[in-house]
Amino acid sequence: MRRPLVAGNWKMHGDAGFIEAYAGALRRAGRAKDVDVLVFPPACYLDRLVAAVAGTGVEVGAQNAHWANDGAFTGEIAPGMVRELGAGWVLAGHSERRALFGDTDERVADKIVAALEANLQPILCVGESLAEREAGSAEAVVARQFGVVAERIGREGLARLSVAYEPVWAIGTGRTASPAQAQDMHAYLRSLIEARSGGVARDLRILYGGSVTPENAPALFAEPDIDGVLVGGASLVVERLLAIVRAAEAVGAHRN
Ligand code: PGA
């Protein structure tokens, strides 16, 4: 069974006042019913957000963490530090990190390994560019991105992983993948997971990300292999994030 997961990625947005107002709205909304809700604020606000959402059931994660636990890495944050701030989750391989900050497949795998060692729950982001989709290589790209990580973490790591399929052409563009396009890739990803480690595939959550809104979320959740969403822009308006949570509640867990 795969409990739905709604994750908001604030990217480099937010400040202290925003966090207070956001957490207040989450408290007023009450606990989500059978849906996991995560928020990924900028790292400097992790502990502030953790404190602000205490008692709401909402969990907090980092958008990125380093592959080493300490060392001469100016400007970086170790997974153990994220953990100490009270966060339980971390993203790895977001397309903005891959495109703008040099996160290669191998680095992403290093970061997932380090996150698991620090007892964080990693969400691996994968997804093809528009050129790659048009060239017919979307599946090959996603298989490569996933494969490098799967090779490193094995069955035990896969059992603790979630994956977010985020086609680069759908991120922040208002151009979402159709539910059928997303479902096709999710089913493909699940078949890759199944091929590597049987039983794990049924329980591993695969999220869709890329211009998710309250309007398109119900159709996405209705697909049998879309177990959650990673929401950027729409998550900056707490009412919109909550509307997406309601859509997830309406559909419930996937059991296929
Ligand atoms: P978006 O971002 O919802 O603004 O398209 C998604 C993401 O980058 O995770």
Side-chain angles (χ1 to χ4, degrees):
M1 192 181 89
R2 304 188 298 277
R3 187 178 155 102
L5 197 167
V6 174
N9 171 13
W10 289 359
K11 310 194 178 183
M12 201 171 72
H13 297 285
D15 57 25
F18 177 82
I19 288 169
E20 202 178 307
Y22 203 97
L26 292 177
R27 271 197 303 276
R28 284 191 297 281
R31 276 176 182 266
K33 285 176 200 60
D34 300 322
V35 173
D36 289 332
V37 182
L38 315 179
V39 179
F40 292 83
C44 55
Y45 295 126
L46 282 169
D47 50 350
R48 185 185 284 264
L49 185 63
V50 167
V53 299
T56 63
V58 173
E59 294 179 53
V60 176
Q63 298 168 16
N64 175 52
H66 197 68
W67 62 81
N69 253 325
D70 51 35
F73 300 108
T74 302
E76 289 292 323
I77 297 167
M81 298 171 184
V82 170
R83 184 81 243 181
E84 196 174 36
L85 292 176
W89 296 75
V90 66
L91 300 179
H94 189 281
S95 67
E96 286 151 19
R97 300 285 325 168
R98 292 179 190 265
L100 303 172
F101 302 102
D103 283 10
T104 60
D105 291 335
E106 287 70 25
R107 281 304 184 212
V108 172
D110 291 340
K111 288 181 176 191
I112 298 257
V113 168
L116 289 169
E117 279 170 5
N119 224 4
L120 292 171
Q121 296 193 66
I123 299 181
L124 166 67
C125 303
V126 298
E128 81 287 357
S129 68
L130 185 58
E132 288 163 340
R133 176 158 283 262
E134 285 174 346
S137 53
E139 287 192 348
V141 168
V142 164
R144 189 201 73 226
Q145 292 171 333
F146 171 74
V148 173
V149 172
E151 200 59 48
R152 288 280 301 282
I153 65 176
R155 183 194 165 86
E156 208 182 302
L158 282 176
R160 296 168 57 201
L161 187 75
S162 303
V163 177
Y165 169 56
E166 299 203 298
V168 179
W169 47 272
I171 294 180
T173 58
R175 185 179 162 194
T176 182
S178 70
Q181 275 174 324
Q183 165 60 27
D184 283 351
M185 189 61 88
H186 283 223
Y188 175 64
L189 264 165
R190 203 174 304 285
S191 75
L192 296 178
I193 298 157
E194 177 71 29
R196 279 187 181 268
S197 51
V200 170
R202 238 184 88 232
D203 292 329
L204 191 151
R205 289 185 287 194
I206 306 177
L207 320 181
Y208 168 78
S211 298
V212 174
T213 63
E215 292 72 34
N216 59 33
L220 290 164
F221 282 123
E223 296 292 343
D225 287 292
I226 300 182
D227 310 312
V229 286
L230 181 52
V231 188
S235 76
L236 293 174
V237 180
V238 65
E239 292 76 19
R240 288 175 73 69
L241 184 84
L242 287 166
I244 294 169
V245 172
R246 300 285 99 83
E249 286 174 340
V251 173
H254 286 154
R255 295 187 165 77
N256 61 318

